[in-house]
Amino acid sequence: MSGSGPSGEESFIAALRALAHDPGARGLTDDAAVLHASGALVATHDTMVEGVHWLAGQDPADVAWKLVASNLSDLAAKTCRPVGLLLSFMLGDEAWNTRFLAGLGEALAAFDAPLLGGDTVSAPFPDAPKVIGLTALGQPRRDPPPSRADATAGQSLWVTGRCGAALAGFEAVQAGSDDHALTAPYRRPVPRLAEGQALAPVVGAMMDLSDGLLLDASRMADASGTTFAIETRLVPIHPALGRRRREALSWGDDYELLFTLPEGAACPVDAARIGSVLPRGAHPLLLDGSPPLAGQPLGYRHGI
Ligand SMILES: Nc1ncnc2c1ncn2[C@@H]1O[C@H](COP(=O)(O)OP(=O)(O)O)[C@@H](O)[C@H]1O
Ligand SMILES: Cc1ncc(C[n+]2csc(CCOP(=O)(O)OP(=O)(O)O)c2C)c(N)n1
Ligand SMILES: [Mg+2]
């Protein structure tokens, strides 16, 4: 250590040590973590950017929670239990770092996810927009785990939860609401880990939603070379979005599971049947029998 007291980086890593109990983390004192894997490992990474994924004034504890939850949602879609997380963190002021650590600790405990390591860097100037990332590793219940490409004609199409819950929460946060039940789906989404694992024996294709049901469904249809016929009235919608169904289906940030089941198979988790898989036609999606109107966004896409 140079200088007198600990740096922001050293203080932050010291605080992280209290959250990194897994022996593989080596007390966050080594160059790298060590995993003893038997069988397949699933790996995913998601980045979050201030102003893109969260509002500047939000509680950093919620930001930490959502970073963990959005990554674990990808693991859930591959039927995994989490076996390790690696955090990429940009330091803020002391209060920001402290609240982030609090939310991180809550999420690690809630989802039984071991923190194994990561990296901590300074911001280039005070109040620079933050960029944070997380890598998540998981062990799937099934090998190979389900893919986005595993949908076949004749299967039924299902989704967990209610679309539009995150948009309703986002608008409430923007409006300064302190209604925690309304804002929670945006601030603190809960990854469908138990559902993903319970679906392992029976599921066909599976993916997690993040960019909006319509865009993600069209990606799954494309990946599997099929067409998805969705009956939009069957999609559960958050009551606050009752009159804005199309937005609820395309805004995104609802970390739910979209999956297919063999025709006639019973669904082992709480989910809604929203349509069926057809042989590939001219379009990836049919909504109530017709392709979506051109020019209306299907979901959230970066860089446009
Ligand atoms: N910068 C990158 N480097 C390597 N692979 C990437 C990068 N960005 C995205 N991918 C890969 O592209 C695929 C689609 O990514 P994405 O749309 O972000 O998936 P998800 O919605 O599940 O996070 C994934 O396999 C992901 O790993
Ligand atoms: C401040 C703010 N504005 C807008 C949104 C909406 N939004 C931003 S990114 C995104 C989609 C999910 O993020 P992405 O990086 O595409 O996740 P991935 O698909 O890689 O899991 C949504 C719905 C938000 N979450 N927060
Ligand atoms: Mg991604």
Side-chain angles (χ1 to χ4, degrees):
M1 185 191 307
S2 62
S4 45
S7 69
E9 177 187 4
E10 287 151 355
S11 304
F12 186 77
I13 295 171
L16 281 177
R17 287 197 178 106
L19 304 177
H21 321 288
D22 192 284
R26 299 192 156 181
L28 305 185
T29 57
D30 207 344
D31 301 300
V34 179
L35 275 178
H36 294 96
S38 59
L41 263 188
V42 171
T44 184
H45 182 92
D46 270 308
T47 308
M48 283 176 52
V49 180
E50 181 177 335
V52 176
H53 295 85
W54 79 88
L55 294 163
Q58 267 185 257
D59 181 354
D62 291 342
V63 177
W65 177 287
K66 189 158 175 176
L67 182 65
V68 173
S70 64
N71 274 275
L72 295 187
S73 177
D74 282 309
L75 291 188
K78 304 301 118 183
T79 75
C80 290
R81 73 175 181 86
V83 297
L85 301 180
L86 300 164
L87 170 68
S88 169
F89 187 72
M90 184 186 283
L91 290 162
D93 62 25
E94 211 178 312
W96 210 91
N97 302 339
T98 302
R99 283 300 295 156
F100 186 92
L101 283 161
L104 180 65
E106 286 178 66
L108 297 177
F111 307 128
D112 200 16
L115 181 67
L116 293 183
D119 192 31
T120 300
V121 296
S122 323
F125 50 85
D127 295 327
K130 290 184 182 56
V131 181
I132 54 179
L134 193 82
T135 297
L137 304 170
Q139 218 160 31
R141 268 278 174 90
R142 185 177 115 179
D143 187 9
S147 153
R148 292 182 183 185
D150 291 339
T152 56
Q155 292 177 333
S156 53
L157 181 67
W158 299 74
V159 70
T160 59
R162 293 186 300 190
C163 288
L167 173 54
F170 172 69
E171 292 180 342
V173 169
Q174 266 188 322
S177 166
D178 57 6
D179 180 339
H180 280 243
L182 182 58
T183 60
Y186 174 72
R187 294 181 305 102
R188 294 210 173 204
V190 176
R192 300 284 189 184
L193 286 163
E195 290 87 343
Q197 290 169 59
L199 282 160
V202 62
V203 76
M206 184 150 63
M207 72 183 293
D208 79 314
L209 298 184
S210 58
D211 295 333
L213 174 70
L214 299 184
L215 181 57
D216 286 331
S218 75
R219 286 171 173 160
M220 198 156 108
D222 280 337
S224 56
T226 59
T227 289
F228 286 2
I230 296 179
E231 291 177 56
T232 56
R233 71 187 160 76
L234 297 181
V235 182
I237 303 285
H238 189 277
L241 272 291
R243 280 192 289 276
R244 297 160 63 198
R245 295 181 66 86
R246 174 67 190 215
E247 280 174 89
L249 299 180
S250 58
W251 193 75
D253 245 5
D254 295 313
Y255 292 92
E256 300 294 346
L257 295 177
L258 177 70
F259 58 94
T260 65
L261 293 178
E263 193 60 52
C267 183
V269 303
D270 190 9
R273 183 186 168 152
I274 61 168
S276 46
V277 183
L278 305 179
R280 179 67 182 207
H283 302 276
L285 276 190
L286 294 175
L287 303 179
D288 307 315
S290 306
L293 294 179
Q296 270 189 9
L298 293 178
Y300 190 94
R301 290 156 72 216
H302 292 283
I304 53 167

